[in-house]
Amino acid sequence: MPARGERRQAAPPSRGQAGRSEQASRPQQASRAEQATPDPYAELVEAAKAGDQWAIERLIAQLRPLIVRYCRARIGRSVSTFASADDVAQDVCIAVLTSLRSYRSTGASFLGFVYGIATHKIMDFHRKYSRERSTPVADIPDVVTTAAEPERRLLHDELGQQVGALLAELSDTQRDVLTLRLVVGLSVAETAQATSMSLGAVRVCQHRALAKLRKLLADRQVTAQV
């Protein structure tokens, strides 16, 4: 027995306790790592705000392909070509440049700021396009089409409507995550920065969205066979 007044030395943790302690600390470490992910655009943005022409051109050169793919995915071939989506993408680039001087970093990724602008521009396009479609006009093709062209365009339109109907069943967040990951081609980390989500949340959202699409497709196939 230890002498009176002598402190009893604590027994070292068992192997099982040490393992549980290590596993419990891992999510916290991962969470801190996710929060500490630097914004890859931060330096370019600050230089562009200061008027550095090279930084402005470099920033737009990096952002424009992402913006174009995002707009094409969200707008599609609404007017038979991607021209409208590309026009919206150009408007987004101009709006990003115009907003640079007033942009203040809040710790979130600059991509989230850019996609916020893109989302508003896309919504404006859909509102304008809906109004224009409600006004009947003569549908005169600009060029002569081949005999197979109408059938091909009809098949493409039907396929686009089916895909659109499936995506409409997803939540806004699921749609955005799939668009950024599978169409725009962003990594999980870039998607997390653009949507202000954690890496784990992006992965879970993508998994659930794809699982829901698979179930919807399976249900439609069963319905078609009945």
Side-chain angles (χ1 to χ4, degrees):
M1 290 181 62
R4 180 176 299 178
E6 181 181 340
R7 289 187 178 180
R8 179 177 298 176
Q9 185 176 0
S14 65
R15 182 175 301 178
Q17 290 174 334
R20 286 193 295 270
S21 176
E22 181 181 353
Q23 291 175 357
S25 66
R26 283 176 185 171
Q28 297 177 358
Q29 293 172 353
S31 178
R32 285 195 294 268
E34 291 176 11
Q35 293 173 359
T37 303
D39 185 351
Y41 298 95
E43 292 185 9
L44 272 180
V45 169
E46 291 305 315
K49 287 175 61 177
D52 186 325
Q53 190 61 36
W54 179 87
I56 292 173
E57 293 175 359
R58 183 66 177 168
L59 181 64
I60 292 301
Q62 290 185 11
L63 292 175
R64 193 176 189 282
L66 305 180
I67 295 171
V68 168
R69 290 199 292 270
Y70 184 69
C71 290
R72 286 183 175 185
R74 293 290 301 273
I75 293 175
R77 297 175 182 267
S78 298
V79 197
S80 76
T81 68
F82 279 129
S84 294
D86 292 353
D87 289 342
V88 174
Q90 184 65 20
D91 290 342
V92 174
C93 290
I94 294 173
V96 169
L97 288 177
T98 305
S99 305
L100 266 180
R101 288 190 177 276
S102 60
Y103 171 75
R104 296 290 181 272
S105 176
T106 59
S109 169
F110 185 69
L111 268 182
F113 173 75
V114 172
Y115 285 124
I117 292 177
T119 298
H120 286 298
K121 292 293 184 182
I122 291 167
M123 291 172 62
D124 289 342
F125 169 83
H126 282 303
R127 283 193 290 265
K128 179 181 178 182
Y129 186 61
S130 296
R131 290 195 299 268
E132 290 178 351
R133 289 194 65 180
S134 64
T135 305
V137 294
D139 187 12
I140 303 176
D142 295 331
V143 295
V144 177
T145 59
T146 63
E149 186 66 20
E151 288 80 3
R152 186 180 298 113
R153 295 179 70 177
L154 178 61
L155 179 61
H156 181 277
D157 290 343
E158 289 180 350
L159 180 60
Q161 291 173 0
Q162 292 175 11
V163 173
L166 287 172
L167 293 177
E169 298 292 331
L170 302 177
S171 68
D172 291 341
T173 302
Q174 289 174 332
R175 241 187 338 266
D176 278 343
V177 167
L178 283 189
T179 300
L180 294 174
R181 288 283 292 122
L182 306 182
V183 180
V184 179
L186 297 188
S187 66
V188 173
E190 290 170 333
T191 302
Q193 290 178 337
T195 56
S196 298
M197 298 169 65
S198 68
L199 301 182
V202 169
R203 294 190 184 97
V204 170
C205 184
Q206 179 178 341
H207 174 76
R208 290 178 177 174
L210 291 175
K212 186 171 184 178
L213 288 179
R214 291 190 192 98
K215 185 177 184 304
L216 288 170
L217 283 172
D219 291 345
R220 292 193 177 198
Q221 290 175 354
V222 170
T223 303
Q225 293 172 0
V226 174

